[in-house]
Amino acid sequence: MKPFLLIPILLIPTFLGAQSSVYKVEGKLGRINPTDKAYVIYGIGNKGYTDSADVRNGKFIVTGTIDQPYYAWLSDGKKSIRFYLEPGTISVTSPDSIENAVVVSPMNIDNQKLKMMLKPTVDQLALLEKEYQAATPEQKKVKGFNEAFEKQQDVVYNKQEKIKAQFIRENLTSMLSLYVLDQYTDWNAPDFSELEPMFSSLAEAIKNSKLGKAYAKKLALIQATSVGSLAPDFTQPDTSGKAVSLSSFRGKYVLVDFWASWCGPCRAENPNIVKNFHQYKDKNFTVLGVSLDRPNGKEAWLKAIHKDHLDWTHVSELKQWNADIVKQYAIQVVPQNFLIGPDGKILAKNIRGENLDKKLAEIFNSKP
């Protein structure tokens, strides 16, 4: 199952700064009321923006300034469609209503290409969901039913990621490739060794754009926490308020587990971590839980620790995504984890389920 995202769905991705550029959305709709208006809606950070224009004889022109492309809504106040809002002219045409409109601009043309590549997997996911909904409540209660469904979903999700990687390789001069790469980074939290070649292959104009420079900074943070690197030290308060540093675990194998009480996938993975903790805790292994719970979430955090039987050290600033460690470790999603060796170097990252079992067995069962 896919992990929880840091970014709001309207902001894919969100980079700040740079010089503004003019956009112009020119529309021609076949059926529309004389009093209708057209709206372009997008978000920057936590703030929403709306530009609009009157529709006359089915035609409209909405203009505005943006500092980068954004994933936006085009609406007539009743129906809407998603599209990429980018500097320059964007053509919107439909034989009838706005929901059937075709949007033409460089990024939107490329986005249609990507959608066609992904369509078979989207259909597969829809079929899986249909099958799941058709199952009876009794079937869903059978042990392993939900796990089997999630594994089938993950197979399709993995296919989608391979398709996106193929799109990037085949469209090195497209700004959409950078967006796809950034989204892939946020969804999958992959290692630097996987991301760097993909970014380096993009055209120089893309890498030197505002978005490219912002992604390069993100990539540098990911490199600092890549496998083989010395894990950055940090200090956070534990459940009683006592300061605990990662460096205090030097000499042990420690799984630094980023999670939160509100995170469903995190809670689903907890039994597996508990199992491994008890299996290897007498072999110089422990877990350090780092919670991204909300400022008012201490009670929920403590309750989740108790309910899930998480009998190891826990720390949190209770600042959710505003915690310093989010940037320090380039945390984009939860759950996320880092397995650190006795020398303080990162041995593996984002190992869950069977992968965590195998990695720990590989380390401890090979020891005399």
Coordinates of all heavy atoms in Angstrom, one line a residue, residues 200-276:
S200 N 20.2 13.6 -13.8 CA 21.3 14.0 -14.6 C 21.1 13.9 -16.1 O 21.6 14.6 -16.9 CB 22.6 13.2 -14.2 OG 23.0 13.6 -13.0
S201 N 20.2 12.9 -16.4 CA 19.9 12.7 -17.9 C 19.0 13.8 -18.5 O 18.9 13.9 -19.7 CB 19.2 11.3 -18.0 OG 17.9 11.3 -17.4
L202 N 18.3 14.6 -17.7 CA 17.5 15.6 -18.2 C 18.2 16.7 -18.9 O 19.4 16.9 -18.6 CB 16.6 16.2 -17.0 CG 15.7 15.3 -16.3 CD1 15.0 16.1 -15.1 CD2 14.6 14.8 -17.2
A203 N 17.6 17.4 -19.8 CA 18.2 18.4 -20.6 C 18.7 19.5 -19.7 O 18.1 19.8 -18.6 CB 17.2 19.0 -21.6
E204 N 19.8 20.2 -20.1 CA 20.4 21.2 -19.2 C 19.4 22.4 -18.9 O 19.4 22.9 -17.8 CB 21.6 21.8 -19.9 CG 22.8 20.9 -20.0 CD 23.3 20.4 -18.6 OE1 23.4 21.3 -17.7 OE2 23.5 19.2 -18.4
A205 N 18.6 22.7 -19.9 CA 17.6 23.7 -19.7 C 16.6 23.4 -18.6 O 16.1 24.2 -17.9 CB 16.8 24.0 -21.0
I206 N 16.3 22.1 -18.5 CA 15.4 21.6 -17.4 C 16.1 21.7 -16.1 O 15.5 22.2 -15.1 CB 14.9 20.2 -17.7 CG1 14.1 20.1 -19.1 CG2 14.0 19.7 -16.6 CD1 12.9 21.0 -19.1
K207 N 17.3 21.2 -16.0 CA 18.1 21.2 -14.8 C 18.4 22.6 -14.3 O 18.4 22.8 -13.1 CB 19.3 20.4 -15.0 CG 19.1 18.9 -15.1 CD 20.4 18.1 -15.1 CE 21.2 18.3 -16.4 NZ 22.4 17.5 -16.4
N208 N 18.5 23.5 -15.2 CA 18.9 24.9 -14.8 C 17.7 25.8 -14.6 O 17.8 27.0 -14.3 CB 19.8 25.5 -15.9 CG 21.2 24.9 -15.9 OD1 21.7 24.5 -14.9 ND2 21.8 24.8 -17.1
S209 N 16.5 25.2 -14.8 CA 15.3 26.0 -14.5 C 15.1 26.2 -13.0 O 15.8 25.6 -12.2 CB 14.0 25.3 -15.1 OG 13.8 24.1 -14.3
K210 N 14.2 27.0 -12.6 CA 13.9 27.2 -11.2 C 13.5 25.9 -10.5 O 14.0 25.5 -9.5 CB 12.8 28.2 -11.0 CG 12.5 28.5 -9.5 CD 11.3 29.3 -9.3 CE 10.1 28.4 -9.1 NZ 8.9 29.1 -8.7
L211 N 12.7 25.1 -11.2 CA 12.3 23.8 -10.7 C 13.4 22.9 -10.6 O 13.6 22.1 -9.6 CB 11.2 23.2 -11.5 CG 9.9 24.0 -11.6 CD1 8.9 23.4 -12.6 CD2 9.2 24.2 -10.3
G212 N 14.3 22.9 -11.6 CA 15.5 22.0 -11.6 C 16.4 22.3 -10.5 O 16.9 21.4 -9.8
K213 N 16.7 23.6 -10.2 CA 17.6 24.0 -9.2 C 17.0 23.6 -7.8 O 17.7 23.2 -6.9 CB 17.8 25.5 -9.2 CG 18.7 25.9 -10.4 CD 18.9 27.4 -10.5 CE 19.7 27.8 -11.7 NZ 19.9 29.2 -11.9
A214 N 15.7 23.7 -7.7 CA 15.0 23.4 -6.4 C 15.1 21.9 -6.2 O 15.4 21.4 -5.1 CB 13.6 23.8 -6.4
Y215 N 15.0 21.1 -7.3 CA 15.1 19.6 -7.1 C 16.5 19.2 -6.8 O 16.7 18.3 -6.1 CB 14.6 18.9 -8.4 CG 14.6 17.4 -8.2 CD1 13.5 16.8 -7.6 CD2 15.6 16.7 -8.7 CE1 13.5 15.4 -7.4 CE2 15.6 15.3 -8.5 CZ 14.6 14.7 -7.9 OH 14.6 13.3 -7.7
A216 N 17.5 19.9 -7.4 CA 18.9 19.6 -7.1 C 19.2 19.8 -5.6 O 19.9 19.0 -5.0 CB 19.8 20.5 -7.9
K217 N 18.6 20.8 -5.0 CA 18.7 21.0 -3.5 C 18.1 19.8 -2.8 O 18.7 19.3 -1.8 CB 18.1 22.3 -3.1 CG 18.9 23.5 -3.6 CD 18.2 24.8 -3.1 CE 18.9 26.1 -3.7 NZ 18.2 27.3 -3.2
K218 N 16.9 19.4 -3.2 CA 16.3 18.2 -2.6 C 17.2 17.0 -2.7 O 17.3 16.2 -1.8 CB 14.9 18.0 -3.2 CG 14.2 16.8 -2.6 CD 12.9 16.4 -3.4 CE 11.8 17.4 -3.1 NZ 10.5 17.0 -3.7
L219 N 17.7 16.8 -3.9 CA 18.6 15.7 -4.2 C 19.8 15.7 -3.3 O 20.3 14.6 -2.8 CB 19.0 15.7 -5.6 CG 19.5 14.4 -6.3 CD1 18.4 13.3 -6.1 CD2 19.8 14.6 -7.7
A220 N 20.4 16.9 -3.0 CA 21.5 17.0 -2.1 C 21.2 16.5 -0.7 O 22.0 15.9 0.0 CB 22.1 18.4 -2.1
L221 N 20.0 16.8 -0.2 CA 19.6 16.4 1.1 C 19.4 14.9 1.1 O 19.8 14.2 2.1 CB 18.2 17.0 1.5 CG 18.3 18.5 1.8 CD1 16.9 19.1 2.0 CD2 19.1 18.8 3.0
I222 N 18.9 14.3 0.0 CA 18.7 12.9 -0.1 C 20.1 12.2 -0.1 O 20.3 11.1 0.5 CB 17.9 12.5 -1.3 CG1 16.4 13.0 -1.2 CG2 17.9 11.0 -1.6 CD1 15.6 12.9 -2.4
Q223 N 21.0 12.8 -0.8 CA 22.4 12.2 -0.9 C 23.0 12.1 0.5 O 23.7 11.1 0.8 CB 23.3 13.1 -1.8 CG 24.7 12.5 -1.9 CD 25.6 13.3 -2.8 OE1 25.3 14.5 -3.1 NE2 26.6 12.7 -3.4
A224 N 22.7 13.1 1.4 CA 23.3 13.1 2.7 C 22.8 12.0 3.6 O 23.4 11.6 4.6 CB 23.0 14.4 3.4
T225 N 21.6 11.4 3.2 CA 21.1 10.3 3.9 C 21.0 9.0 3.0 O 20.0 8.2 3.2 CB 19.7 10.6 4.5 OG1 18.8 11.1 3.4 CG2 19.8 11.7 5.5
S226 N 21.9 8.9 2.1 CA 21.9 7.7 1.2 C 22.6 6.6 1.9 O 23.4 6.8 2.8 CB 22.5 8.1 -0.1 OG 23.9 8.5 0.1
V227 N 22.4 5.4 1.4 CA 23.0 4.2 1.9 C 24.5 4.4 1.8 O 25.1 4.7 0.7 CB 22.6 2.9 1.1 CG1 23.4 1.7 1.5 CG2 21.1 2.7 1.4
G228 N 25.2 4.1 2.9 CA 26.7 4.2 2.9 C 27.1 5.5 3.6 O 28.3 5.6 4.0
S229 N 26.2 6.5 3.7 CA 26.6 7.8 4.3 C 26.5 7.7 5.9 O 25.8 6.8 6.4 CB 25.6 8.9 3.9 OG 25.7 9.1 2.5
L230 N 27.2 8.5 6.5 CA 27.1 8.6 8.0 C 25.8 9.3 8.3 O 25.5 10.4 7.9 CB 28.3 9.4 8.5 CG 28.4 9.5 10.1 CD1 28.8 8.1 10.6 CD2 29.5 10.5 10.5
A231 N 25.0 8.6 9.1 CA 23.6 9.2 9.4 C 23.8 10.5 10.2 O 24.5 10.5 11.2 CB 22.9 8.2 10.2
P232 N 23.1 11.6 9.7 CA 23.2 12.8 10.5 C 22.7 12.7 11.9 O 21.6 12.1 12.1 CB 22.3 13.8 9.6 CG 22.3 13.1 8.3 CD 22.3 11.7 8.5
D233 N 23.4 13.2 12.8 CA 23.0 13.2 14.2 C 21.8 14.1 14.5 O 21.7 15.2 13.8 CB 24.2 13.5 15.2 CG 23.9 13.1 16.6 OD1 23.0 12.2 16.8 OD2 24.6 13.6 17.5
F234 N 21.0 13.8 15.4 CA 19.9 14.7 15.8 C 19.6 14.4 17.3 O 19.9 13.4 17.8 CB 18.7 14.5 14.9 CG 18.1 13.1 15.0 CD1 17.1 12.7 15.9 CD2 18.5 12.1 14.0 CE1 16.6 11.4 16.0 CE2 17.9 10.8 14.1 CZ 17.0 10.5 15.0
T235 N 18.9 15.4 17.9 CA 18.5 15.3 19.3 C 17.0 15.7 19.4 O 16.7 16.8 18.9 CB 19.3 16.1 20.2 OG1 20.7 15.7 20.1 CG2 18.9 16.0 21.6
Q236 N 16.2 14.9 20.0 CA 14.8 15.2 20.2 C 14.4 14.7 21.6 O 15.0 13.8 22.1 CB 13.9 14.5 19.1 CG 14.1 15.1 17.7 CD 12.9 14.8 16.8 OE1 12.0 14.1 17.2 NE2 13.0 15.3 15.6
P237 N 13.3 15.3 22.1 CA 12.8 14.8 23.4 C 12.0 13.5 23.3 O 11.3 13.3 22.4 CB 11.9 16.0 23.9 CG 11.4 16.6 22.6 CD 12.6 16.5 21.6
D238 N 12.2 12.7 24.4 CA 11.5 11.4 24.4 C 10.1 11.7 25.0 O 9.7 12.8 25.2 CB 12.3 10.3 25.1 CG 12.5 10.6 26.6 OD1 11.9 11.6 27.1 OD2 13.3 9.9 27.3
T239 N 9.4 10.6 25.4 CA 8.0 10.8 25.9 C 8.0 11.5 27.2 O 6.9 12.0 27.6 CB 7.4 9.4 26.0 OG1 8.2 8.5 26.8 CG2 7.2 8.7 24.6
S240 N 9.1 11.5 27.9 CA 9.1 12.2 29.2 C 9.7 13.6 29.1 O 9.9 14.3 30.1 CB 9.8 11.3 30.3 OG 11.2 11.2 29.9
G241 N 10.2 13.9 27.9 CA 10.8 15.2 27.7 C 12.3 15.2 27.8 O 13.0 16.3 27.6
K242 N 12.9 14.1 28.0 CA 14.4 13.9 28.1 C 15.0 13.9 26.7 O 14.5 13.3 25.8 CB 14.7 12.7 28.9 CG 16.2 12.4 29.0 CD 16.5 11.1 29.6 CE 18.0 10.8 29.7 NZ 18.3 9.5 30.3
A243 N 16.1 14.7 26.6 CA 16.7 14.8 25.3 C 17.5 13.5 24.9 O 18.2 12.9 25.7 CB 17.7 15.9 25.3
V244 N 17.2 13.0 23.7 CA 17.8 11.7 23.3 C 18.5 12.0 21.9 O 17.8 12.6 21.0 CB 16.8 10.6 23.1 CG1 17.4 9.4 22.5 CG2 16.2 10.3 24.4
S245 N 19.7 11.6 21.8 CA 20.5 11.8 20.5 C 20.7 10.5 19.8 O 20.9 9.5 20.4 CB 21.8 12.5 20.8 OG 21.7 13.7 21.4
L246 N 20.7 10.6 18.5 CA 21.0 9.4 17.7 C 22.3 8.8 18.0 O 22.6 7.6 18.1 CB 20.9 9.7 16.2 CG 21.3 8.5 15.2 CD1 20.3 7.3 15.4 CD2 21.2 9.0 13.8
S247 N 23.3 9.7 18.3 CA 24.7 9.3 18.5 C 24.8 8.5 19.8 O 25.8 7.7 20.0 CB 25.6 10.5 18.6 OG 25.1 11.4 19.6
S248 N 23.8 8.5 20.7 CA 23.9 7.7 21.9 C 23.6 6.3 21.6 O 23.9 5.4 22.5 CB 22.8 8.2 22.9 OG 21.5 8.0 22.4
F249 N 23.2 5.9 20.4 CA 23.0 4.5 20.0 C 24.2 4.0 19.3 O 24.2 2.8 18.8 CB 21.8 4.4 19.1 CG 20.5 4.7 19.9 CD1 20.0 6.0 20.0 CD2 19.7 3.7 20.4 CE1 18.8 6.3 20.6 CE2 18.6 3.9 21.1 CZ 18.1 5.2 21.2
R250 N 25.3 4.8 19.2 CA 26.5 4.3 18.5 C 27.0 3.0 19.1 O 27.0 2.9 20.3 CB 27.6 5.4 18.5 CG 28.8 5.1 17.6 CD 28.5 5.0 16.2 NE 28.0 6.3 15.6 CZ 28.8 7.3 15.1 NH1 30.1 7.1 15.1 NH2 28.2 8.4 14.7
G251 N 27.3 2.0 18.3 CA 27.8 0.7 18.7 C 26.7 -0.3 18.6 O 26.9 -1.5 18.7
K252 N 25.4 0.1 18.3 CA 24.3 -0.8 18.1 C 23.8 -0.7 16.6 O 24.0 0.3 15.9 CB 23.2 -0.4 19.0 CG 23.3 -0.8 20.5 CD 22.1 -0.3 21.3 CE 22.2 -0.8 22.7 NZ 22.0 -2.3 22.8
Y253 N 23.1 -1.7 16.2 CA 22.3 -1.6 15.0 C 21.0 -1.0 15.4 O 20.3 -1.4 16.4 CB 22.0 -3.0 14.4 CG 23.2 -3.7 13.8 CD1 24.0 -4.5 14.6 CD2 23.5 -3.5 12.5 CE1 25.2 -5.1 14.0 CE2 24.6 -4.1 11.9 CZ 25.4 -4.9 12.7 OH 26.5 -5.5 12.1
V254 N 20.6 0.1 14.8 CA 19.4 0.8 15.2 C 18.5 1.1 13.9 O 19.0 1.6 12.9 CB 19.7 2.1 16.0 CG1 20.6 3.0 15.2 CG2 18.4 2.8 16.4
L255 N 17.3 0.7 14.0 CA 16.3 1.1 13.0 C 15.6 2.4 13.4 O 14.9 2.4 14.3 CB 15.3 0.0 12.8 CG 14.2 0.2 11.7 CD1 14.9 0.0 10.3 CD2 13.0 -0.7 11.8
V256 N 15.9 3.5 12.7 CA 15.3 4.8 12.9 C 14.0 4.8 12.1 O 14.0 4.8 10.9 CB 16.2 5.9 12.5 CG1 15.5 7.3 12.8 CG2 17.5 5.9 13.3
D257 N 12.9 4.7 12.8 CA 11.6 4.5 12.2 C 10.8 5.8 12.3 O 10.4 6.3 13.4 CB 10.8 3.4 12.9 CG 9.4 3.2 12.3 OD1 9.4 3.1 11.1 OD2 8.5 3.0 13.1
F258 N 10.5 6.5 11.1 CA 9.7 7.7 11.1 C 8.3 7.2 10.9 O 7.9 6.5 9.9 CB 10.2 8.6 9.9 CG 11.5 9.2 10.1 CD1 12.7 8.6 9.8 CD2 11.6 10.4 10.7 CE1 13.9 9.1 10.0 CE2 12.8 11.0 11.0 CZ 14.0 10.4 10.6
W259 N 7.4 7.7 11.8 CA 6.0 7.3 11.7 C 5.2 8.3 12.4 O 5.6 9.4 12.7 CB 5.9 5.9 12.5 CG 6.0 6.1 14.0 CD1 7.1 6.5 14.7 CD2 5.0 5.9 14.9 NE1 6.8 6.5 16.0 CE2 5.5 6.1 16.2 CE3 3.6 5.4 14.9 CZ2 4.8 6.0 17.4 CZ3 2.9 5.3 16.1 CH2 3.5 5.6 17.3
A260 N 3.9 8.1 12.6 CA 2.9 9.0 13.3 C 1.7 8.2 13.7 O 1.3 7.2 13.0 CB 2.5 10.2 12.4
S261 N 1.1 8.6 14.8 CA -0.1 7.8 15.2 C -1.2 7.9 14.2 O -2.1 7.0 14.2 CB -0.5 8.4 16.6 OG -1.0 9.8 16.5
W262 N -1.3 9.0 13.4 CA -2.4 9.2 12.5 C -2.1 8.5 11.1 O -3.0 8.5 10.3 CB -2.6 10.7 12.2 CG -1.3 11.5 11.9 CD1 -0.7 12.3 12.8 CD2 -0.6 11.5 10.7 NE1 0.4 12.8 12.2 CE2 0.5 12.4 10.9 CE3 -0.7 10.9 9.5 CZ2 1.5 12.6 9.9 CZ3 0.2 11.2 8.5 CH2 1.3 12.0 8.7
C263 N -1.0 7.9 11.0 CA -0.6 7.3 9.7 C -1.0 5.8 9.7 O -0.4 4.9 10.3 CB 0.9 7.4 9.5 SG 1.6 6.4 8.2
G264 N -2.0 5.5 8.8 CA -2.5 4.1 8.7 C -1.4 3.1 8.3 O -1.3 2.0 9.0
P265 N -0.7 3.4 7.2 CA 0.3 2.4 6.8 C 1.4 2.2 7.9 O 2.0 1.1 8.0 CB 0.9 3.0 5.5 CG -0.2 3.9 5.0 CD -0.9 4.4 6.2
C266 N 1.7 3.2 8.6 CA 2.7 3.1 9.7 C 2.2 2.1 10.8 O 2.9 1.2 11.2 CB 2.9 4.4 10.4 SG 3.5 5.8 9.3
R267 N 0.9 2.3 11.2 CA 0.3 1.4 12.2 C 0.2 0.0 11.7 O 0.4 -0.9 12.5 CB -1.0 2.0 12.6 CG -1.1 3.4 13.1 CD -0.3 3.6 14.4 NE -1.0 2.9 15.5 CZ -2.0 3.4 16.2 NH1 -2.4 4.6 16.0 NH2 -2.6 2.7 17.2
A268 N 0.0 -0.2 10.4 CA -0.1 -1.5 9.8 C 1.3 -2.2 9.8 O 1.3 -3.4 9.9 CB -0.6 -1.4 8.4
E269 N 2.3 -1.4 9.7 CA 3.7 -2.0 9.7 C 4.2 -2.3 11.1 O 5.1 -3.1 11.3 CB 4.7 -1.1 9.0 CG 6.1 -1.5 9.0 CD 6.4 -2.8 8.3 OE1 5.6 -3.3 7.5 OE2 7.6 -3.3 8.4
N270 N 3.6 -1.6 12.1 CA 4.1 -1.8 13.5 C 4.3 -3.2 14.0 O 5.3 -3.6 14.6 CB 3.3 -0.9 14.5 CG 3.7 0.5 14.4 OD1 4.8 0.9 14.0 ND2 2.8 1.4 15.0
P271 N 3.3 -4.1 13.8 CA 3.4 -5.5 14.2 C 4.7 -6.2 13.7 O 5.3 -7.0 14.4 CB 2.2 -6.2 13.7 CG 1.2 -5.1 13.6 CD 1.9 -3.9 13.2
N272 N 5.1 -5.8 12.4 CA 6.3 -6.4 11.9 C 7.5 -5.9 12.6 O 8.5 -6.7 12.8 CB 6.3 -6.1 10.4 CG 7.5 -6.8 9.7 OD1 7.7 -8.0 9.8 ND2 8.3 -6.0 9.0
I273 N 7.5 -4.6 12.9 CA 8.7 -4.0 13.6 C 8.8 -4.6 15.0 O 9.9 -5.0 15.5 CB 8.6 -2.5 13.7 CG1 8.5 -1.9 12.2 CG2 9.8 -1.9 14.4 CD1 8.3 -0.4 12.2
V274 N 7.6 -4.8 15.6 CA 7.6 -5.4 17.0 C 8.2 -6.8 16.9 O 9.0 -7.2 17.8 CB 6.1 -5.4 17.5 CG1 6.1 -6.3 18.8 CG2 5.7 -4.0 17.8
K275 N 7.8 -7.6 16.0 CA 8.3 -9.0 15.8 C 9.8 -9.0 15.7 O 10.5 -9.7 16.4 CB 7.6 -9.6 14.6 CG 8.1 -11.0 14.3 CD 7.6 -11.5 13.0 CE 8.4 -10.8 11.9 NZ 8.1 -11.4 10.5
N276 N 10.3 -8.1 14.8 CA 11.8 -8.1 14.6 C 12.5 -7.5 15.8 O 13.6 -8.0 16.1 CB 12.1 -7.3 13.4 CG 11.9 -8.0 12.1 OD1 12.6 -8.9 11.7 ND2 10.8 -7.8 11.4

